[in-house]
């Protein structure tokens, strides 16, 4: 059911029909870190030359408009919390209570959700903390993003599915050139990136390891995330300064898309042509913000 977004879409409608206070899939669409992958999946990109060329802003390229259509269709089955940060802020309690059947977050947040659900189990089922935590671990399952219909239409999907790309980030360590203790700094970096520490970090924080030897012995989700980074299915967040000019306009656009299904006759993104025009404007706005001082 979570292998592709079409099945999750159908389940979400049924889940909400059974109880109109619950939602099968809910996340904050305005968080472009999570919603950007839907554009990437259909050929859009942030910057050209593998995210190094800020002269080429490509959120409107390829068939990125299909990714926006997918998000708009799903937003119609979500609550108003998907428009802003409300869904993101409520995720642990909403997942623990069953208000959200599924959501989107980073792997490290899973431990918070598990802890919240364990507390609920202690209260409702009279379990010990150990028993409640074990049960919560079984019931909170992390999976990669579900596949998408190749035609970008959840309501009339094609049989062909494509992998859903997503944005990802890698944490690293750096040593200042000004340090008075370069040997000690290097020793710490070697310690922090060792097999033992990478494995412990993954166990405690649920963060997928960047070491192949640790990933091979980790959870199934960590293995899948490592493979997706390796094959390019996870698009690493650009490390150039221009990324700072992306979040506000892109987040505002996605929030507007999330609100669109409730506009009725005043809808702004109900056709692919309208979506394409809006994406072209978004790319231009980001480009202008980046290069404003160049003129």
């Amino acid at each position: 059911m979570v292998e592709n977004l079409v099945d999750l879409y159908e389940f979400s409608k049924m889940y909400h029909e059974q109880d109109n206070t619950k939602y099968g899939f809910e996340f904050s669409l305005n968080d472009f870190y999570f919603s950007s992958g839907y554009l990437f999946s259909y050929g859009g990109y942030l910057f050209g030359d593998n995210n190094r060329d800020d002269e080429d802003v490509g959120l409107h390229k390829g068939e990125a408009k299909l990714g926006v259509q997918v998000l708009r269709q799903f937003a119609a089955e979500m609550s108003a919390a998907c428009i802003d940060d409300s869904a993101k802020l409520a995720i642990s309690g909403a997942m623990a209570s069953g208000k959200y059947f599924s959501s989107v977050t980073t792997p490290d947040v899973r431990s918070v959700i598990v802890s919240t659900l364990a507390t609920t189990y202690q209260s409702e089922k009279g379990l010990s903390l150990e028993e409640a935590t074990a049960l919560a671990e079984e019931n909170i399952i992390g999976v990669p993003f579900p596949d998408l219909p190749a035609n970008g239409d959840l309501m009339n999907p094609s049989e062909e599915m494509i992998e859903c790309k997503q944005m990802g980030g890698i944490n690293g360590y750096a040593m200042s050139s000004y340090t008075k203790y370069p040997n000690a700094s290097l020793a710490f970096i070697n310690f922090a990136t060792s097999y033992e520490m990478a494995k412990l970090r993954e166990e405690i924080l649920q963060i997928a390891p960047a070491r192949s030897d640790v990933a091979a012995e980790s959870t199934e989700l960590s293995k899948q995330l490592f493979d997706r980074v390796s094959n390019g299915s996870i698009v690493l967040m650009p490390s150039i300064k221009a990324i700072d000019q992306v979040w506000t306009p892109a987040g505002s656009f996605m929030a507007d898309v999330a609100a669109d299904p409730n506009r009725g006759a005043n809808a702004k993104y109900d056709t692919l042509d309208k979506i394409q025009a809006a994406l072209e404007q978004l790319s231009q706005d980001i480009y202008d913000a980046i290069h404003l001082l160049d003129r």
Side-chain angles (χ1 to χ4, degrees):
M1 185 264 290
V2 294
E3 292 182 354
N4 69 74
L5 210 65
V6 175
D7 289 346
L8 183 56
Y9 176 74
E10 292 299 327
F11 172 82
S12 294
K13 291 195 293 185
M14 179 186 70
Y15 194 71
H16 185 63
E17 286 171 0
Q18 292 175 347
D19 184 338
N20 63 13
T21 67
K22 296 182 177 182
Y23 300 89
F25 182 46
E26 184 95 5
F27 78 100
S28 294
L29 272 67
N30 70 310
D31 189 337
F32 197 62
Y33 183 83
F34 294 118
S35 55
S36 59
Y38 293 86
L39 279 64
F40 301 158
S41 301
Y42 293 99
Y45 55 86
L46 275 172
F47 306 118
D49 190 22
N50 291 319
N51 279 329
R52 293 190 290 263
D53 180 9
D54 63 16
E55 292 284 341
D56 179 10
V57 181
L59 292 178
H60 62 291
K61 296 295 181 68
E63 294 296 314
K65 59 190 176 185
L66 297 181
V68 176
Q69 175 176 256
V70 166
L71 288 173
R72 185 184 183 279
Q73 288 178 336
F74 231 121
E77 302 302 324
M78 296 179 180
S79 74
C82 75
I83 299 173
D84 53 30
D85 288 340
S86 299
K88 179 168 61 178
L89 295 174
I91 184 172
S92 59
M95 291 286 289
S97 68
K99 180 177 181 179
Y100 300 168
F101 175 81
S102 61
S103 188
V104 179
T105 188
T106 50
D108 53 300
V109 177
R110 177 180 176 274
S111 60
V112 179
I113 300 172
V114 167
S115 178
T116 304
L117 182 57
T119 300
T120 300
Y121 285 158
Q122 281 185 283
S123 174
E124 295 181 352
K125 299 178 180 292
L127 302 177
S128 68
L129 176 59
E130 184 178 355
E131 292 171 332
T133 300
L135 185 58
E137 287 281 0
E138 290 181 15
N139 289 330
I140 299 297
I141 302 171
V143 297
F145 278 43
D147 291 343
L148 301 169
N151 69 344
D153 191 343
L154 298 176
M155 300 175 70
N156 298 287
S158 56
E159 292 186 8
E160 180 187 359
M161 295 288 162
I162 62 173
E163 189 174 55
C164 183
K165 293 186 177 181
Q166 57 210 257
M167 187 183 290
I170 294 181
N171 296 323
Y173 299 92
M175 180 169 58
S176 170
S177 61
Y178 297 103
T179 182
K180 296 179 180 180
Y181 308 102
N183 292 335
S185 298
L186 184 59
F188 171 76
I189 291 174
N190 287 335
F191 166 76
T193 58
S194 67
Y195 171 89
E196 292 78 9
M197 288 301 101
K199 189 171 182 61
L200 183 61
R201 190 168 186 262
E202 194 259 351
E203 290 173 354
I204 295 175
L205 300 178
Q206 304 290 309
I207 295 175
R211 290 183 57 125
S212 58
D213 52 355
V214 179
E217 300 177 2
S218 298
T219 64
E220 187 60 32
L221 177 60
S222 288
K223 292 176 185 176
Q224 292 174 332
L225 292 177
F226 184 88
D227 289 342
R228 288 194 171 207
V229 171
S230 301
N231 66 24
S233 297
I234 292 180
V235 180
L236 296 181
M237 187 192 308
S239 58
I240 59 176
K241 180 65 176 174
I243 188 65
D244 292 344
Q245 304 302 326
V246 170
W247 306 116
T248 297
S252 296
F253 169 70
M254 285 301 178
D256 206 31
V257 170
D260 202 53
N262 295 319
R263 293 189 176 120
N266 297 317
K268 298 165 63 176
Y269 309 108
D270 55 342
T271 70
L272 290 177
D273 286 344
K274 290 179 182 179
I275 294 173
Q276 180 63 30
L279 283 174
E280 291 174 4
Q281 185 61 56
L282 174 61
S283 290
Q284 186 63 51
D285 289 344
I286 293 173
Y287 178 91
D288 290 344
I290 294 169
H291 299 285
L292 178 63
L293 299 181
D294 296 343
R295 298 172 182 175

